[in-house]
């Protein structure tokens, strides 16, 4: 009796497995009814990023670009052209790399424009608290872009990555302004050359 029951269970399990495979195949066919290639499933991070991008409310001086096309939303660039402050008239490009576990992890942001700035080092690393210890999943891409914009309208010498620029801003704001203008025009500040970004 127990052998008969085992055979019956084995037979029922095989039938159930076949049934699941048939249903899975039907679902795939329904998803691909357009005749195109299989549809790639989006991660939770991609879904959230799509929502964030659709709800962007950027200042006119900021633009977003997708250099890899619409199929790669997780990597994009933001161009910021401050309309106030020391960096007025400059154009600064940032790359964003967004993790599949976004928003539980902050996007990785780098400044692609070499800039004389207390909160951005010469390798493009950005010191912005919401990209580090103050990141929370309720924050979004719009918040990050506004934070970057704010770095240009009000640079912060109290939390620097470029200590030399921070010291000049703190001790001699007029010299700092002169250094920023020289760097943005394509010139040297100390021993470092900055390409033109005006």
């Amino acid at each position: 009796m127990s052998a008969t029951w085992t055979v019956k269970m084995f037979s029922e399990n095989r039938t159930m497995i076949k049934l699941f495979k048939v249903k899975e195949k039907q679902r795939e066919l329904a998803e691909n009814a357009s005749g195109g290639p299989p549809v790639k499933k989006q991660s939770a991070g991609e879904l959230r990023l799509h929502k964030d991008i659709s709800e962007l409310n950027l200042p006119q001086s900021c633009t977003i670009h997708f250099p890899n096309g619409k199929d790669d939303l997780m990597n994009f660039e933001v161009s910021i052209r401050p309309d106030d402050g020391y960096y007025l008239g400059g154009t600064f490009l940032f790359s964003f790399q967004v993790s599949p576990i976004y928003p539980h992890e902050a996007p990785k942001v780098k400044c692609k424009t070499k800039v004389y700035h207390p909160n951005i080092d010469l390798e493009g690393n950005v010191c912005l608290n919401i990209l580090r210890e103050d990141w929370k999943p309720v924050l979004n891409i719009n918040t990050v872009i506004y934070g970057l914009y704010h770095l240009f309208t009000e640079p912060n010498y109290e939390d620097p990555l470029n200590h030399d620029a921070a010291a000049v801003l703190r001790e001699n704001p007029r010299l700092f302004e002169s250094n920023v203008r020289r760097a943005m025009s394509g010139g040297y500040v100390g021993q470092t050359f900055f390409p033109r970004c005006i």
Side-chain angles (χ1 to χ4, degrees):
M1 195 155 183
S2 125
T4 306
W5 184 78
T6 305
V7 170
K8 186 175 180 186
M9 281 296 287
F10 179 72
S11 175
E12 286 175 5
N13 282 344
R14 283 184 48 182
T15 304
M16 297 242 335
I17 290 171
K18 283 183 185 176
L19 181 61
F20 284 130
K21 285 185 178 180
V22 167
K23 286 191 178 215
E24 187 177 312
K25 189 69 173 170
Q26 287 173 340
R27 187 174 41 78
E28 282 179 23
L29 289 172
E31 287 176 355
N32 300 327
S34 64
V39 177
K40 180 183 162 234
K41 292 189 186 205
Q42 290 186 317
S43 69
E46 287 173 312
L47 292 171
R48 167 64 189 273
L49 182 61
H50 192 277
K51 177 183 178 293
D52 283 4
I53 289 171
S54 70
E55 295 175 354
L56 278 177
N57 184 19
L58 299 178
Q60 288 185 345
S61 56
C62 298
T63 56
I64 188 168
H65 321 274
F66 296 91
N68 301 330
K70 64 180 175 135
D71 293 333
D72 184 10
L73 293 182
M74 304 301 272
N75 297 289
F76 57 93
E77 295 175 344
V78 171
S79 179
I80 297 177
R81 188 172 177 83
D83 51 15
D84 193 20
Y86 295 111
Y87 298 90
L88 174 70
T91 301
F92 306 94
L93 188 64
F94 291 86
S95 65
F96 281 63
Q97 290 183 318
V98 183
S99 162
I101 62 169
Y102 173 80
H104 300 287
E105 183 178 284
K108 306 277 186 262
V109 178
K110 285 274 232 189
C111 185
K112 295 177 78 172
T113 307
K114 191 171 185 182
V115 59
Y116 179 78
H117 195 292
N119 309 110
I120 303 171
D121 69 17
L122 299 176
E123 286 76 45
N125 298 306
V126 179
C127 183
L128 184 62
N129 62 333
I130 61 172
L131 291 175
R132 300 179 325 204
E133 71 275 359
D134 290 341
W135 177 258
K136 293 173 181 52
V138 297
L139 299 176
N140 59 31
I141 297 300
N142 207 63
T143 308
V144 173
I145 294 171
Y146 269 94
L148 293 171
Y149 180 81
H150 185 71
L151 283 181
F152 287 102
T153 57
E154 294 185 37
N156 178 7
Y157 60 76
E158 293 178 2
D159 191 17
L161 282 180
N162 181 334
H163 295 279
D164 294 334
V168 174
L169 176 59
R170 180 177 53 253
E171 296 162 13
N172 190 343
R174 293 182 90 176
L175 177 58
F176 178 79
E177 182 175 10
S178 172
N179 287 347
V180 168
R181 287 282 142 207
R182 188 175 320 116
M184 288 181 12
S185 298
Y188 282 89
V189 175
Q191 300 295 313
T192 305
F193 178 76
F194 294 86
R196 182 178 176 85
C197 64
I198 292 181

